[in-house]
Amino acid sequence: MTTRKCPACGKPAGRRPENPYDPFCSERCRLLDLGRWFDESYRVPVRRDEWDEAPAIPRPDDREED
């Protein structure tokens, strides 16, 4: 069985089916990683020119009243 490092802590993390938290080593590391996404520690990079060309998405607050 090949083991690899947990992306959260670096400890060995087995593959499924033995490890239900794959690719993490434990539920704790899986939840820590999820929390990093929620608090926006991780971000998907976007080139500035792509952002400028994206169509604007109206928010409910920005609607004109009839």
Side-chain angles (χ1 to χ4, degrees), residues 57-64:
I57 300 172
R59 296 181 303 184
D61 308 10
D62 296 340
R63 291 189 310 214
E64 294 180 20

Side-chain angles (χ1 to χ4, degrees), residues 42-60:
Y42 297 141
R43 295 175 186 226
V44 177
V46 176
R47 290 192 342 235
R48 187 69 188 158
D49 58 338
E50 290 176 0
W51 182 257
D52 292 338
E53 294 172 8
I57 300 172
R59 296 181 303 184

